[in-house]
Amino acid sequence: MNDAPTFHLRLATDADREAVNAVWHASASLPSVGLPAMPSRAALRARLDVEWVSGWRVTLAERGDEILGFAALKPAEAMLDQLFVHPDALGQGVGAALLDHAKAAMPEGFTLYTISANTRARAFYEASGLTLLRHAPHPQRLYSITYYGWGGAI
């Protein structure tokens, strides 16, 4: 049996913004994954456009012309800012490949946070060797977030 992934990773380009937005919205819309009051796809795209030009380095997991997931890194801040996998691609190794990419891209370590209610993400990060750092209220919203660290960032 061949256990090789059926996708590859590549750096995103400006032309990928709408596909990244579609994955982000689809994944973050799952129960307990995204914001309690999920923004519209247009509002999420506006945020994506701001982040894109302010320092995100985005890597895509791609199969053919289909974007399966993405990781948005902020290397200057040693932060994995976003990691989302399309709901149809969950359980296929996409998240693990993107997280491994983040570890390779920021070998000195990084931090990230997720909504505390996102138990699937939390279990994934903990099983992937990240260290739970703390739980805290979100600095601008009324829900709890959980911080993780990897490598030298902890």
Side-chain angles (χ1 to χ4, degrees), residues 36-61:
M38 188 65 198
S40 70
R41 195 165 156 176
L44 200 60
R45 173 60 193 259
R47 178 176 170 208
L48 181 145
D49 288 340
V50 169
E51 297 285 3
W52 201 279
V53 297
S54 66
W56 264 12
R57 279 194 16 217
V58 179
T59 298
L60 306 176

Side-chain angles (χ1 to χ4, degrees), residues 24 27-39 84 114-115 117-118 143:
W24 195 5
S27 183
S29 294
L30 291 172
S32 300
V33 173
L35 300 172
M38 188 65 198
F84 281 99
T114 189
I115 293 174
N118 188 347
Y143 55 84

Side-chain angles (χ1 to χ4, degrees), residues 28-132:
S29 294
L30 291 172
S32 300
V33 173
L35 300 172
M38 188 65 198
S40 70
R41 195 165 156 176
L44 200 60
R45 173 60 193 259
R47 178 176 170 208
L48 181 145
D49 288 340
V50 169
E51 297 285 3
W52 201 279
V53 297
S54 66
W56 264 12
R57 279 194 16 217
V58 179
T59 298
L60 306 176
E62 181 179 59
R63 180 187 302 126
D65 292 333
E66 181 184 16
I67 304 302
L68 305 176
F70 74 96
L73 312 180
K74 290 185 173 179
E77 298 172 35
M79 181 178 205
L80 172 53
D81 194 52
Q82 304 293 329
L83 192 157
F84 281 99
V85 176
H86 192 279
D88 294 341
L90 291 171
Q92 298 178 26
V94 174
L98 290 166
L99 185 59
D100 286 346
H101 166 74
K103 290 175 178 179
M106 296 183 287
E108 298 299 315
F110 58 85
T111 60
L112 64 87
Y113 69 85
T114 189
I115 293 174
S116 297
N118 188 347
T119 56
R120 183 180 186 127
R122 292 182 53 207
F124 168 71
Y125 293 135
E126 290 169 23
S128 299
L130 278 70
T131 301
L132 191 154

